Amino acid sequence: MKTICIRTYKNELHFPIMQGVPIKKETNLFKRFIKFLIFRRRWTVLCDYCLWVPALGKWIFVPMDFIFDGASVPKILNGIYSPTGMLLLGAVPHDFGYRYKGLLHVNYLGEIYFVSYTKSQLDSIFHILNTYESGMPHASYVAKFVLTLVGFLGWRENRKSNRILMTDHPEIFIEDNI
């Protein structure tokens, strides 16, 4: 497996470097309006993202080129909970975990390894990260409660797609001595 130099990452809060995935423009006005109402922008992680989570005592790693949609907040609630606002820090690893049924961690030697997680465990990690980032546990509890109620939809969709980490991100599995 790939290794990274975790000394280049700080044991402090930081966000992924990301860029919006271009949105295909619809020519039909009706389709454009429907897309405006329900479309969620997707984002791509531009460089490897490694985050120290004190509450877990672990580093979480998300590889470059991972595409995610931020927190899946209904558009009507975007004024209260922005998909790329206080929920972003938890959304990146959470979306990764939902897609691959687990997370990548990094040990102190810089070795990346995969840990399988359940939906419930990933939802708890989402809550821990959002509480850590925002300092607002009550708002994070509301987000976790909603995720507990409807998160099964995203979990089920990802189980149907059956994405394979080794196929999507082969660079992680190549030996790389730094």
Side-chain angles (χ1 to χ4, degrees), residues 109-169:
L109 299 174
E111 300 164 334
I112 298 170
Y113 61 98
F114 182 80
V115 176
S116 200
Y117 285 101
T118 64
K119 177 195 171 305
S120 177
Q121 290 170 321
L122 289 166
D123 293 350
S124 292
I125 291 169
F126 175 78
H127 168 69
I128 288 167
L129 288 170
N130 290 328
T131 300
Y132 172 59
E133 187 271 327
S134 71
M136 298 175 58
H138 292 49
S140 184
Y141 275 116
V142 171
K144 184 183 179 212
F145 176 72
V146 172
L147 188 58
T148 302
L149 291 177
V150 296
F152 73 91
L153 296 170
W155 180 260
R156 188 174 59 202
E157 180 182 323
N158 280 293
R159 298 293 59 77
K160 284 181 184 175
S161 71
N162 197 24
R163 301 293 292 268
I164 300 170
L165 181 59
M166 190 177 278
T167 304
D168 290 351
H169 300 281

Side-chain angles (χ1 to χ4, degrees), residues 14-108:
H14 67 280
F15 289 87
I17 298 170
M18 59 189 205
Q19 178 179 0
V21 174
I23 300 170
K24 182 184 169 220
K25 186 176 177 181
E26 294 290 342
T27 53
N28 180 302
L29 187 58
F30 178 72
K31 285 182 181 178
R32 195 180 303 176
F33 179 71
I34 296 300
K35 190 177 234 181
F36 169 77
L37 291 177
I38 62 172
F39 183 78
R40 283 192 184 93
R41 175 171 282 287
R42 293 176 3 170
W43 305 87
T44 187
V45 177
L46 294 179
C47 60
D48 289 342
Y49 176 53
C50 196
L51 174 69
W52 171 251
V53 185
L56 298 174
K58 294 183 180 187
W59 289 91
I60 293 177
F61 179 82
V62 177
M64 174 175 51
D65 295 330
F66 173 67
I67 296 175
F68 67 101
D69 66 357
S72 299
V73 176
K75 276 196 153 192
I76 196 163
L77 298 177
N78 279 2
I80 300 169
Y81 286 102
S82 168
T84 54
M86 71 171 239
L87 301 177
L88 178 66
L89 189 68
V92 177
H94 186 263
D95 284 3
F96 186 87
Y98 262 42
R99 182 158 312 143
Y100 300 109
K101 204 174 179 182
L103 293 172
L104 292 169
H105 292 291
V106 182
N107 65 21
Y108 284 98

